Amino acid sequence: MIEIKDLHKSYQMGSNSLHVLKGIDFSVKEGELVSIMGSSGSGKSTLLNILGMLDEADEGSYTLDNVPIKNLNEKIAAQYRNKFLGFIFQSFNLINYKNALDNVSMPLYYQGVKRAERTDKAMHYLEKVGLAQWATHLPSEMSGGQKQRVAIARALASDPKVLLADEPTGALDTKTSYEVMELIQGINDEGKTILIVTHEPDIAEMTKRIVNLKDGVIIDDTIVNQVKASDYV
Ligand code: ADP
Ligand code: MG
């Protein structure tokens, strides 16, 4: 599903260059639930943003579902992003003046899906995350956990090949974090490939494989015994 080889990324700041990713080799098969761990500044978001086609590497190769991701113009990149990828962020990134249903159906609008079908699909995914009753509520009327569920429904709405989550539980208390992880585990159990960036060991243990990033290199990549979030909620 995902294959990257010898990936490098530097940021230029004036005359200084910060080498953030220093030769990353990494692949993810369909159906995996992987966490990328590492302390703040280790390059986790940089890596995830490259995987999410939000940023480009300086060197190395990246193929996503057998498609080489390189030198794509912005239009093609946006098409691939819509088709292949769903994003979940620490701060939810919902549109504040739109209700839950409209937030979830938004990506479908950009894919040219007709209104009736958008609404059906968005309702389906809101039900899936347990928020059918909240369809007409604004984000400001919801708890952090509910907002993240809406964001997860939105990410699922276009049935992407891969879900990418950058610190999805970073803004949530422990109990709510585990509830969100329970939902993510359920989505993975149905076959969805999911990558989660986190610096929290308990969250990483709820995935099936932990990749440890330190100073821009992978220092460890291990299949783990998945802790079931449902045991903790
Ligand atoms: P993490 O997500 O693991 O905390 P990041 O990938 O966000 O780490 O950042 C890795 C390093 O790159 C940090 O030192 C950060 O300050 C730097 N960095 C990230 N984004 C940029 C940018 N757009 N410009 C310059 N430096 C950046
Ligand atoms: Mg980060």
Side-chain angles (χ1 to χ4, degrees):
M1 182 63 71
I2 284 174
E3 200 153 332
I4 64 176
K5 291 208 181 94
D6 201 25
L7 205 76
H8 287 260
K9 177 74 181 177
S10 298
Y11 290 112
Q12 307 299 333
M13 287 171 298
S15 55
N16 291 324
S17 169
L18 183 66
H19 198 179
V20 176
L21 299 179
K22 303 171 184 166
I24 305 276
D25 293 284
F26 172 61
S27 61
V28 178
K29 294 196 201 70
E30 190 169 358
E32 282 201 272
L33 174 55
V34 183
S35 52
I36 299 170
M37 281 272 283
S39 54
S40 176
S42 56
K44 305 184 295 296
S45 294
T46 300
L47 177 58
L48 203 75
N49 289 345
I50 292 169
L51 294 175
M53 302 172 60
L54 300 168
D55 200 355
E56 260 193 289
D58 303 323
E59 275 176 57
S61 67
Y62 171 26
T63 48
L64 173 59
D65 201 32
N66 295 316
V67 177
I69 304 300
K70 185 142 198 157
N71 299 328
L72 304 175
N73 72 43
E74 188 44 45
K75 199 173 162 195
I76 301 284
Q79 278 173 11
Y80 284 179
R81 225 181 277 130
N82 278 331
K83 185 166 135 196
F84 287 133
L85 302 163
F87 294 92
I88 304 166
F89 302 95
Q90 174 170 358
S91 50
F92 324 126
N93 290 15
L94 298 177
I95 297 173
N96 289 324
Y97 58 87
K98 290 200 178 284
N99 68 28
L101 188 73
D102 290 342
N103 266 285
V104 176
S105 61
M106 185 71 90
L108 300 172
Y109 172 82
Y110 287 110
Q111 288 180 15
V113 177
K114 296 240 160 42
R115 190 188 182 91
E117 190 186 341
R118 285 201 310 267
T119 306
D120 280 357
K121 280 200 171 158
M123 261 326 280
H124 169 78
Y125 285 103
L126 274 181
E127 271 164 32
K128 203 174 167 64
V129 301
L131 290 178
Q133 314 293 326
W134 291 79
T136 60
H137 286 256
L138 292 171
S140 59
E141 298 164 335
M142 302 179 138
S143 68
Q146 287 174 322
K147 282 188 251 197
Q148 195 57 300
R149 283 169 186 275
V150 173
I152 291 170
R154 177 184 57 187
L156 288 172
S158 45
D159 194 25
K161 300 262 183 193
V162 181
L163 278 188
L164 300 174
D166 196 346
E167 309 264 8
T169 62
L172 306 174
D173 62 71
T174 303
K175 180 170 181 292
T176 309
S177 294
Y178 293 167
E179 286 167 0
V180 164
M181 285 309 295
E182 184 182 18
L183 177 62
I184 287 175
Q185 287 181 339
I187 293 162
N188 172 250
D189 287 342
E190 291 173 3
K192 190 71 77 188
T193 310
I194 308 178
L195 261 80
I196 298 179
V197 158
T198 183
H199 63 267
E200 300 167 292
D202 53 340
I203 298 300
E205 282 172 7
M206 291 177 174
T207 67
K208 295 173 174 167
R209 172 179 160 201
I210 304 179
V211 174
N212 245 298
L213 204 59
K214 189 175 182 194
D215 300 329
V217 294
I218 291 175
I219 54 165
D220 192 54
D221 184 343
T222 311
I223 305 284
V224 293
N225 255 328
Q226 186 183 34
V227 171
K228 283 285 166 193
S230 54
D231 292 345
Y232 292 85
V233 297

